[in-house]
Amino acid sequence: MIKNLMVLLGIAVLFTAIWAIKDEKLSKKFKTILTLVLLGILLFAYIFESVQSGKSANSREILQNFNQGKIILCRDINVSQEKFNYEFGTGCFMPKREFKELNGLILPISECKKYE
């Protein structure tokens, strides 16, 4: 909460500083364009961060279910701790060595969902 307030305060100070510059140095037209560009960048950053946070939360939930021994569905394949390991470095489920029929199969966590 405090972090969000500090970010909003920083943005407000930035825009106040832009509009406080005398019109002889920066025209009102340029200030308006600069303000719109900065607002566009901030809006894009906010939307991007929201989408990434949603994906991250979904991945954490899927991994938590996997660690609890529940079945996960990845590309129509049932993934469980019995046959698969999760590789943190790559963010993928990989089959255990004793299951030769699954050899070479790599399932990214982004392609998985909870088994209903």
Side-chain angles (χ1 to χ4, degrees), residues 3 5 9 21 31 43 50 52 55 80 85 112 114:
K3 179 182 171 185
L5 289 175
L9 181 63
I21 297 172
K31 290 179 191 178
L43 181 65
S50 297
Q52 292 302 321
K55 287 180 180 179
S80 66
N85 288 322
C112 300
K114 292 189 297 184

Side-chain angles (χ1 to χ4, degrees), residues 9-72:
L9 181 63
I11 292 169
V13 168
L14 175 67
F15 287 123
T16 302
I18 290 171
W19 285 94
I21 297 172
K22 293 183 179 182
D23 289 340
E24 294 85 33
K25 294 191 179 199
L26 290 178
S27 69
K28 287 187 180 191
K29 181 179 178 182
F30 184 75
K31 290 179 191 178
T32 304
I33 292 171
L34 183 60
T35 300
L36 291 175
V37 167
L38 288 175
L39 284 174
I41 291 170
L42 290 171
L43 181 65
F44 173 77
Y46 175 78
I47 292 171
F48 179 80
E49 181 61 30
S50 297
V51 169
Q52 292 302 321
S53 292
K55 287 180 180 179
S56 177
N58 187 42
S59 294
R60 280 192 310 270
E61 184 179 357
I62 289 169
L63 186 57
Q64 182 180 17
N65 286 341
F66 177 77
N67 288 333
Q68 291 173 353
K70 296 178 182 175
I71 296 174
I72 307 299

Side-chain angles (χ1 to χ4, degrees), residues 80-113:
S80 66
Q81 285 184 332
E82 179 185 322
K83 293 184 178 182
F84 288 86
N85 288 322
Y86 181 73
E87 299 295 328
F88 286 95
T90 59
C92 296
F93 294 103
M94 301 191 65
K96 294 182 178 179
R97 290 184 181 178
E98 58 265 18
F99 298 100
K100 299 292 183 194
E101 71 276 5
L102 299 173
N103 192 19
L105 183 65
I106 299 173
L107 301 168
I109 197 168
S110 61
E111 297 178 6
C112 300
K113 60 184 178 181

